[in-house]
Amino acid sequence: MSTLRENPRLADLQRYVAEMEREHGFIDQTVLQKCLLLGEEIGELFRAVRKAENMPLEAHRQAGAIDEEIADVLISLCSIANRSGVDLETAFRKKEERNKERVWA
């Protein structure tokens, strides 16, 4: 079983997710399938936020904890990045460099 080291970097998370997906048989899912699953995970995160903010929820729908739902979103993002050949840390740093040039008004 895969293990995640203490204080992981984004690359460690991506590697861990790839190993976990191989172990659980998810490695053959496509980018499209992972994007659709990401949408579902975001919906679950929104439902958890609604619950935490004491907003009404559908009676038949369960709401998880915000931290768990955020983790699911991150796992899905890592899966999509892995399938797309994207190094998340490099992409993040590159995007932040571009954002420094933007005018935020």
Side-chain angles (χ1 to χ4, degrees):
M1 175 161 240
S2 297
T3 58
L4 185 60
R5 73 181 187 117
E6 285 290 316
N7 303 312
R9 297 183 61 171
L10 280 172
D12 298 320
L13 292 173
Q14 279 189 255
R15 204 171 12 263
Y16 174 79
V17 168
E19 292 169 6
M20 180 193 63
E21 288 193 310
R22 272 191 289 282
E23 288 175 7
H24 296 288
F26 300 137
I27 200 68
D28 292 331
Q29 292 177 331
T30 66
V31 173
L32 175 59
Q33 288 170 313
K34 287 299 181 180
C35 286
L36 294 172
L37 288 169
L38 172 62
E40 291 178 21
E41 295 299 348
I42 290 172
E44 291 175 10
L45 172 59
F46 291 167
R47 201 166 22 265
V49 170
R50 286 174 58 195
K51 176 183 171 187
E53 294 294 319
N54 295 314
M55 295 175 68
L57 296 171
E58 301 88 2
H60 66 283
R61 302 291 302 252
Q62 295 287 330
I66 293 174
D67 60 344
E68 291 180 4
E69 301 305 341
I70 288 173
D72 285 342
V73 168
L74 180 58
I75 290 166
S76 294
L77 286 174
C78 287
S79 294
I80 293 166
N82 288 343
R83 283 165 175 74
S84 302
V86 172
D87 177 303
L88 282 172
E89 185 171 344
T90 300
F92 183 88
R93 291 180 186 281
K94 182 179 174 183
K95 181 62 178 176
E96 281 303 293
E97 286 302 313
R98 290 186 68 197
N99 283 342
K100 289 177 185 177
E101 304 300 319
R102 290 181 64 182
V103 176
W104 301 89

